């Protein structure tokens, strides 16, 4: 087998509840800014859940014309915007063979807003009123396809659809695509826009969402008061590139993606494995690929949703993967305390946080962590950011269906 190729990040774009570009998003994450607020996208009078991490101040007309906005679901608008930012920042267009340029983009649900709107038309006004664009606006591969069309990516263009692990799986599979020589650059990341009546009702009825009405006491990862996650939306995109290719053209390098683990619990459709066995194996795989040693100073961006089971089992998984002593030395935080749970985009914003932590030597906080759960007894960076000279960053993503993914990053 030929030598495996190194993979680096040369562009980042973001549209999130805490910023409409990558720079603003990272600045607000490390500052502990809360992006959770009352839902404004629909009337919540009849809904038990009232809060979300909404994208605010986003203007799709900055990224597409009026006709395109009418033909594009909100999740794909976010994806196109974040991808355009990342591509522009990387200056990759024209610097890579289009047939060696790919797209792997994650989403958990795809165009559920379009589905809901068109189904309402069907029920109220009949089948002739359903839009001819309903199918292409709804399907979960359309963000990948539209990004590929816009940026002339003639390599594979594939969605990752693994619930809340989608963004991380997209990045990990992109890394493998470049590492094994199938592409020289990939636009990757995740996008979601599921703050809709049917999605919120569904998550409430499965008892997954927090019903808190105080934005500062709603998304509470690792806190004994936690009672469910807060739904979020947005997109984060990256340009991944083969290291020598990036170096030869003088690209800015934000970090190296150097490890990836992907497993399934094979246990339950929604509940995690009670001991976090699958999550631990994903971490171990990523750490082994990244060349982890006891000398590493580790930052972990936890999946940390704020559900009772997730936070307990993820704590167990971290202890299993790192060992008890190393786990207690690690800096661990859940940025979902600020953004809510962005579902298929969660792994992508977690990767942004990992790269920022490595570059600037600071772990973003788990805000509002006032009453730590005694069973979640690691350093979850409560309330304010903590500085350290990190040498390795890990990002955990765990999804319905038992999907587990872990990404590992290092400085170059």
């Amino acid at each position: 087998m030929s030598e495996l190729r190194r993979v680096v990040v040369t562009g980042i774009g973001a549209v999130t509840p805490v910023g409409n570009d990558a720079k603003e998003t990272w600045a607000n994450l490390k500052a502990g800014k809360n992006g959770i607020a009352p839902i404004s996208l629909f009337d919540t009078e009849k809904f038990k859940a009232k809060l979300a991490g909404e994208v605010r101040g986003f203007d799709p007309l900055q990224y597409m014309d009026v006709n395109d906005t009418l033909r594009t679901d909100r999740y794909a608008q976010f994806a196109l915007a974040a991808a355009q930012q990342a591509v522009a920042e990387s200056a990759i267009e024209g610097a890579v063979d289009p047939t060696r340029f790919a797209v792997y983009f994650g989403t958990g649900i795809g165009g559920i807003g379009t589905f809901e709107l068109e189904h309402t038309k069907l029920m109220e006004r009949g089948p002739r009123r359903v839009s001819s664009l309903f199918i292409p606006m709804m399907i979960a591969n359309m963000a990948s396809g539209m990004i590929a069309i816009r940026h002339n990516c003639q390599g594979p263009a594939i969605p990752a659809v693994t619930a809340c692990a989608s963004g991380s799986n997209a990045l990990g599979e992109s890394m493998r695509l470049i590492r094994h020589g199938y592409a020289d650059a990939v636009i990757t990341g995740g996008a979601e826009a599921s703050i809709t009546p049917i999605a919120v009702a569904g998550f409430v009825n499965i008892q997954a969402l927090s019903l808190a009405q105080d934005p500062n006491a709603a998304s509470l990862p690792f806190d004994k008061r936690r009672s469910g996650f807060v739904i979020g939306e947005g997109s984060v995109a990256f340009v991944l590139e083969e290291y020598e290719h990036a170096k030869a053209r003088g690209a800015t390098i934000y970090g190296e993606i150097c490890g990836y683990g992907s497993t399934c619990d094979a246990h339950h459709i929604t509940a995690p494995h009670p001991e976090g066995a699958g999550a631990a194996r994903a971490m171990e795989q990523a750490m082994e690929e990244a060349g982890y040693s006891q000398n590493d100073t580790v930052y972990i961006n936890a999946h940390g949703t704020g559900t009772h089971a997730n936070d307990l089992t993820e704590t167990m998984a971290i202890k299993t993967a790192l060992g008890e002593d190393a786990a207690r030395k690690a800096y661990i935080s859940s940025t979902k305390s600020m953004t809510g749970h962005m579902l298929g985009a969660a792994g992508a914003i977690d990767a942004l946080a990992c790269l920022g932590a490595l570059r600037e030597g600071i772990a973003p906080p788990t805000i509002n962590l006032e009453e730590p759960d005694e069973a979640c007894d690691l350093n979850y960076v409560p309330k304010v950011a903590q500085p350290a000279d990190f040498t390795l960053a890990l990002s955990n993503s765990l999804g319905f269906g038992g999907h587990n993914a872990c990404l590992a990053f290092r400085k170059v």
Side-chain angles (χ1 to χ4, degrees):
M1 182 183 293
S2 60
E3 184 177 347
L4 296 178
R5 308 192 314 164
R6 296 173 66 186
V7 183
V8 295
V9 179
T10 58
I12 310 175
V15 178
T16 75
V18 293
N20 285 337
D21 59 46
K23 183 177 180 180
E24 183 185 16
T25 294
W26 169 241
N28 285 329
L29 288 178
K30 66 183 178 180
K33 180 176 179 179
N34 193 353
I36 293 167
I39 292 171
S40 67
L41 293 170
F42 65 90
D43 184 355
T44 62
E45 181 182 358
K46 296 180 180 179
F47 289 76
K48 293 180 179 179
K50 308 286 188 183
L51 302 176
E54 291 182 359
V55 169
R56 298 177 187 272
F58 171 70
D59 181 5
L61 294 176
Q62 290 184 288
Y63 304 96
M64 59 190 75
D65 64 28
V66 173
N67 286 334
D68 283 341
T69 65
L70 298 174
R71 299 169 180 159
T72 309
D73 187 85
R74 183 173 170 89
Y75 100 96
Q77 291 178 6
F78 291 156
L80 284 164
Q84 184 169 313
Q85 292 175 22
V87 168
E89 189 180 68
S90 73
I92 188 68
E93 284 189 300
V96 63
D97 178 351
T99 66
R100 305 273 303 165
F101 196 13
V103 182
Y104 274 30
F105 223 83
T107 183
I109 304 175
I112 193 169
T114 294
F115 181 92
E116 191 165 348
L117 175 64
E118 297 301 326
H119 185 263
T120 299
K121 289 182 188 177
L122 174 67
M123 292 294 100
E124 294 181 353
R125 301 165 66 186
R128 297 185 65 181
R129 305 303 301 200
V130 173
S131 171
S132 61
L133 294 169
F134 167 53
I135 300 300
M137 289 176 68
M138 175 195 69
I139 52 181
N141 68 304
M142 195 48 63
S144 296
M146 294 181 76
I147 290 168
I149 292 166
R150 172 166 293 189
H151 300 290
N152 194 27
C153 302
Q154 297 179 27
I158 296 175
V161 185
T162 49
C164 305
S166 299
S168 289
N169 281 133
L171 269 88
E173 298 300 328
S174 297
M175 180 197 77
R176 287 180 175 172
L177 198 69
I178 297 171
R179 174 178 277 184
H180 293 284
Y182 295 100
D184 294 323
V186 184
I187 303 170
T188 185
E192 205 77 85
S194 299
I195 305 174
T196 72
I198 197 167
V200 170
F203 279 123
V204 166
N205 291 345
I206 204 173
Q207 299 182 331
L209 288 191
S210 168
L211 306 183
Q213 298 193 34
D214 178 357
N216 295 314
S219 184
L220 298 171
F222 307 108
D223 193 297
K224 65 172 61 175
R225 299 170 295 156
R226 69 190 185 279
S227 59
F229 71 83
V230 174
I231 194 168
E233 66 174 358
S235 178
V236 178
F238 304 86
V239 173
L240 301 190
E241 192 172 348
E242 192 273 324
Y243 172 63
E244 296 295 341
H245 188 278
K247 191 168 68 168
R249 69 183 187 88
T252 298
I253 294 175
Y254 291 92
E256 180 175 1
I257 178 169
C258 55
Y260 170 48
S262 180
T263 67
C264 185
D265 287 346
H267 170 69
H268 191 271
I269 60 171
T270 58
H273 187 281
E275 296 174 359
R281 284 191 296 110
M283 294 184 70
E284 289 163 355
Q285 291 173 8
M287 291 160 61
E288 181 178 3
E289 285 192 354
Y292 167 76
S293 81
Q294 293 288 327
N295 295 323
D296 275 313
T297 301
V298 179
Y299 168 67
I300 302 173
N301 191 289
H303 190 59
T305 58
T307 65
H308 181 74
N310 175 93
D311 297 358
L312 285 176
T313 57
E314 189 172 12
T315 299
M316 294 182 213
I318 292 169
K319 290 178 180 179
T320 299
L322 272 72
E324 189 89 19
D325 290 344
R328 295 195 180 282
K329 294 176 184 176
Y331 296 71
I332 308 162
S333 63
S334 173
T335 44
K336 291 179 182 66
S337 60
M338 295 171 271
T339 64
H341 190 353
M342 291 164 60
L343 307 178
I349 193 169
D350 295 351
L352 180 155
C354 285
L355 290 163
L358 282 172
R359 283 172 62 84
E360 297 188 16
I362 189 165
T366 305
I367 65 169
N368 303 318
L369 180 48
E370 303 282 353
E371 300 179 34
D373 186 330
E374 292 85 352
C376 300
D377 55 352
L378 302 177
N379 174 17
Y380 288 109
V381 191
K383 297 192 281 189
V384 296
Q386 295 179 7
D389 185 15
F390 298 113
T391 60
L392 178 68
L394 302 173
S395 173
N396 288 337
S397 294
L398 319 174
F400 280 3
H403 303 289
N404 307 294
C406 181
L407 301 170
F409 301 88
R410 288 194 185 275
K411 291 181 276 192
V412 174

